Amino acid sequence: MSDSASPEERLAKLRFLERVQLNQLAQTRRWIDAAEERAAEHARRRPPPPPPDWCVQYGMGGRAARPAMVHTAECWIPGAASMDAVSREQAIEALTRGGVPPCVLCRPERELGVLD
């Protein structure tokens, strides 16, 4: 902007610039909204992740308590609501170094090849 412009002209130019930038910001926000909607739609169409192969059950006190048992994902024990999915490596770690016993029904140690 020219320094020779009067204060009124300078202010008018700045207000015009502000309107242009606000319009650009509004357009950018519309593009973001549309992109978020497309991403959400894409996420809804994606199939759910496969069920875990291994689970760790927690005793009384839930996840704050020490792990109580390692299970295969197919095992279903009544009342075992506090369970977390774990990787194969985590299940082996829990059985071998963590001192967590295997389930006597589903026998995860057999599939994992430990504690034979």
Side-chain angles (χ1 to χ4, degrees), residues 42-92:
H42 180 70
R44 283 191 295 274
R45 291 182 183 185
R46 236 181 288 148
D53 291 328
W54 316 100
C55 297
V56 171
Q57 174 188 353
Y58 294 89
M60 299 298 282
R63 287 169 181 80
R66 184 178 186 284
M69 224 178 289
V70 176
H71 297 273
T72 65
E74 291 84 28
C75 185
W76 181 80
I77 303 267
S82 293
M83 286 187 146
D84 280 343
V86 294
S87 67
R88 176 181 179 81
E89 293 75 23
Q90 290 170 316
I92 291 171

Side-chain angles (χ1 to χ4, degrees), residues 5-54:
S6 70
E8 293 81 17
E9 289 175 305
R10 181 170 173 78
L11 183 58
K13 289 177 182 179
L14 288 171
R15 295 227 185 262
F16 174 76
L17 176 62
E18 178 185 38
R19 283 192 308 275
V20 169
Q21 290 175 332
L22 286 173
N23 285 335
Q24 289 175 336
L25 178 60
Q27 179 62 52
T28 301
R29 287 180 174 160
R30 286 191 297 273
W31 289 338
I32 289 170
D33 289 343
E36 287 174 342
E37 287 176 26
R38 284 191 302 274
E41 180 63 29
H42 180 70
R44 283 191 295 274
R45 291 182 183 185
R46 236 181 288 148
D53 291 328
W54 316 100

